[in-house]
Amino acid sequence: MATAAERPILVRQARVIDPAQGIDAVGDVLFAEGKVAALRFAADRPLEAPPGCLVLRGEGLVIAPGFVDLHAHLREPGYEEKETIATGTRAAAKGGFTTICCMPNTQPPLDTRATVEFVRRRAADEGAVRVLPIGCITQGRKGQELAEMGELAEAGVVAFSDDGSPVASARLMRSALSYAKAFGLPLIEHCEEPGLSQGGVMNEGWVATRLGLRGIPAAAEEIMAARDIALAELTGGRLHIAHASAAGMVDLVRRAKEKGVRVTAEATPHHLTMTDEWVLGYRPGRGPSGAAQLAYHTSTKVNPPLRAQRDAQALVQGLREGVIDAIATDHAPHADIDKLCEYDAAPFGISVFETALGSLLSLVHGGALDLGTLIARLTVGPARVLGREASGLGSLRAGAPADAVVFDPDEEWTVDVERFVSWGKNSPLHGCTLKGRVKLTLVGGAIAYVDEGVQLES
C-alpha cells in the first residue's frame, strides 16, 4: 500500500476531537503533503477527495491528534534483547502514539552527544514514529556530577532526566534546575527517597503485609517531590514530575501550581486504572481461582508501585482538574526471562504502548473521565510540557504535522501479549478484555499502523 506521505488521506464523518482547538464535532479531516490540509464539519459541505486520495469512512470512529508520550523506554542502545527502537516505535504506533520521548537509562546512557546522535539516527532510519531523546541529568546517571547539559541540548534532547535514579543531592538538583532553565528545557524527576524505598518491591499497605513483600511507602515519593518543588521555586527552573502515583503527590503539585511554581506532572495508565490488589491476583472478570493463579505475578511489579484505590482515584481527579498535565506510558519492556523469577528478584516495569488506550477508556466508559479530557492529557497536555520542542504537535490545526490517530472507542478485544509488536510481553492485562482500539495511526502523513480489516478506499 502506498503511504499517505505519497497520497493524501481523507477521513470522512468521524468524531473529531482536538482539545487544543476546543473541537469535538463530527466532520472530515484531510491530510496531504505531510500536513493537516483541511477540516470541515457536518454543517458545512463535505470535503472533496483530491486526485489519488485514500478515503477512510469514519462513522462510529474518533479521530484525534496523535498521542504524545513524555516517558518511554526503548532500551537501545545496550538492551536490545528487551526492545529496539524499531520494535518499540512500531508498538507505539499500534497504540496511537506518534511522538515518544525516550528515557536515557540505556547502556551507555544518553549522557553524551554521541549517544544522543546515535538514537536520533537510528530513529530516523528505523523508527515508525517520531522519537525525541531525553538526556541525562548526571554523568552515567550516577548522581555525582552533572552531565554536559549544554552539549546535550545542542545535540537535540528535549529534557533532562536520570529516570529510575533520583538525584539524591539537593545541591546537585539545584544546579541542574538552574542549568536546564538556561537552556529552556524541563527537568524530569523520578521522585523517590532511596532511604525509604530501598529493598521495597510493591506499595506499602495491607496487600504487601498479606503477601509478605517489602513495601515502598507513598512518603518516599512525596518527600522527594516536596524537595524538588522547593528547588524549582528557588531556581525558577521547570520541574516535571514523572509517573505520579500517590494521592499526596497530587496535593503537592496542586499547591505548587497555585503558588506559581513551574511544575508539571504526568500519570501512567497503570497507576490510573490498577491498584496494589493486582499483585494479590485481582483482575477484572476473573474469579477467585484465577486470582489465586495470578498472585505474585511479576508483570505487576513497577516503580513507583501500583498504589491503593484512593491513590488511583486522586490521580483521576488530578487529571480532571488539570493538576496532572499529561498521561505518559512509562513503557518498560523486559525479556520474558527477566520476569520469570521470584517477585523480589524481578525487574520493575510494564509493557504499555499497545494497551494504553484500551485501559484508559475504561475511565471514560465508567464515567470517571470524559473523552475530551482524556484526549487532552494524551495530546496537547504533553505537548505543552515540552514547550517549543513540540511545536505544532498535539493538534489537528491546519498546517500542523499530519500526526493523527483514528480509534473505535467501543470495540472490545482481549489482550494477548503474544500478539504484541513490542518485544516486551510483560503486561498484567494479559487475558483481560478492553474496550477501545486503534484503527489507524498517521505520522507526518505516512501510515505508521493500520488495523486488520480497515478499508482505505481509493
Side-chain angles (χ1 to χ4, degrees):
M1 177 185 293
T3 67
E6 297 166 345
R7 300 175 64 177
I9 278 194
L10 175 60
V11 180
R12 285 199 184 280
Q13 293 302 290
R15 180 181 174 185
V16 184
I17 301 180
D18 183 2
Q21 299 186 80
I23 293 173
D24 187 346
V26 173
D28 301 347
V29 186
L30 177 65
F31 304 95
E33 298 181 354
K35 303 289 185 182
V36 180
L39 291 84
R40 189 168 291 175
F41 298 99
D44 303 323
R45 182 169 52 87
L47 285 172
E48 294 185 8
C53 186
L54 297 172
V55 179
L56 173 64
R57 298 190 179 278
E59 291 86 353
L61 304 178
V62 173
I63 182 168
F67 303 151
V68 178
D69 188 3
L70 293 171
H71 190 143
H73 302 271
L74 297 181
R75 303 303 191 197
E76 189 176 5
Y79 302 108
E80 288 84 355
E81 75 281 3
K82 300 173 184 283
E83 191 79 284
T84 66
I85 289 172
T87 60
T89 56
R90 284 171 50 218
K94 187 177 178 183
F97 295 90
T98 57
T99 298
I100 56 176
C101 301
C102 62
M103 281 293 173
N105 55 338
T106 51
Q107 186 57 43
L110 304 188
D111 62 354
T112 65
R113 179 190 296 272
T115 52
V116 171
E117 290 179 346
F118 168 84
V119 168
R120 296 185 66 186
R121 286 195 306 271
R122 186 59 59 92
D125 292 341
E126 301 181 4
V129 305
R130 186 179 294 101
V131 175
L132 305 178
I134 295 171
C136 294
I137 296 174
T138 66
Q139 295 178 25
R141 298 175 50 247
K142 295 179 179 179
Q144 298 173 357
E145 297 181 69
L146 289 180
E148 294 293 337
M149 297 173 76
E151 177 183 284
L152 295 175
E154 290 176 359
V157 304
V158 296
F160 302 100
S161 180
D162 277 359
D163 182 64
S165 301
V167 180
S169 165
R171 177 191 58 79
L172 204 60
M173 187 64 175
R174 176 182 181 175
S175 297
L177 281 162
S178 296
Y179 277 109
K181 178 185 177 183
F183 303 121
L185 299 176
L187 215 65
I188 302 176
E189 174 74 324
H190 172 109
C191 293
E192 179 183 350
E193 168 48 54
L196 287 176
S197 64
Q198 187 174 12
V201 295
M202 67 168 295
N203 181 54
E204 184 175 283
W206 73 268
V207 176
T209 300
R210 179 170 173 178
L211 292 174
L213 295 174
R214 184 167 178 177
I216 301 173
E221 181 175 328
E222 295 158 359
I223 288 170
M224 188 63 81
R227 184 207 72 172
D228 291 340
I229 288 169
L231 292 174
E233 184 176 17
L234 176 66
T235 61
R238 290 170 55 199
L239 172 68
H240 179 73
I241 292 174
H243 43 50
S245 72
M249 176 71 85
V250 180
D251 291 335
L252 284 166
V253 175
R254 181 186 291 110
R255 291 197 298 269
K257 288 188 171 186
E258 289 171 352
K259 292 175 64 177
V261 181
R262 302 177 72 193
V263 59
T264 53
E266 70 191 32
T268 72
H270 38 284
H271 289 114
L272 290 162
T273 62
M274 303 177 195
T275 70
D276 55 359
E277 291 184 38
W278 285 58
V279 186
L280 190 63
Y282 168 80
R283 302 288 188 281
R286 293 183 183 266
S289 61
Q293 294 171 9
L294 289 167
Y296 295 97
H297 203 290
T298 58
S299 64
T300 61
K301 186 177 178 181
V302 64
N303 192 19
L306 301 177
R307 301 281 186 194
Q309 184 64 34
R310 71 177 188 89
D311 295 296
Q313 291 171 342
L315 291 173
V316 173
Q317 179 65 25
L319 280 183
R320 285 197 297 264
E321 296 177 5
V323 174
I324 304 295
D325 303 82
I327 297 171
T329 67
D330 194 11
H331 174 75
H334 289 286
D336 289 348
I337 196 170
D338 296 332
K339 289 280 194 174
L340 292 175
C341 58
E342 299 86 354
Y343 205 90
D344 284 339
F348 294 103
I350 296 174
S351 185
V352 183
F353 280 149
E354 294 163 75
T355 60
L357 179 64
S359 63
L360 290 166
L361 281 171
S362 67
L363 300 172
V364 175
H365 294 307
L369 204 63
D370 68 86
L371 185 55
T373 299
L374 175 62
I375 299 301
R377 303 297 178 257
L378 286 165
T379 58
V380 64
R384 286 173 177 165
V385 171
L386 292 172
R388 71 169 189 267
E389 307 304 321
S391 178
L393 302 181
S395 175
L396 293 175
R397 195 180 309 276
D403 293 359
V405 57
V406 179
F407 63 91
D408 184 339
D410 297 314
E411 180 178 339
E412 292 190 348
W413 59 287
T414 300
V415 178
D416 180 356
V417 297
E418 296 307 318
R419 301 192 67 183
F420 278 8
V421 174
S422 171
W423 282 356
K425 315 302 182 187
N426 46 303
S427 172
L429 287 168
H430 177 64
C432 295
T433 298
L434 302 181
K435 190 176 182 180
R437 193 165 197 170
V438 173
K439 310 306 286 183
L440 177 71
T441 304
L442 302 178
V443 179
I447 297 174
Y449 171 76
V450 59
D451 189 36
E452 297 175 6
V454 170
Q455 297 295 320
L456 291 169
E457 302 171 0
S458 297

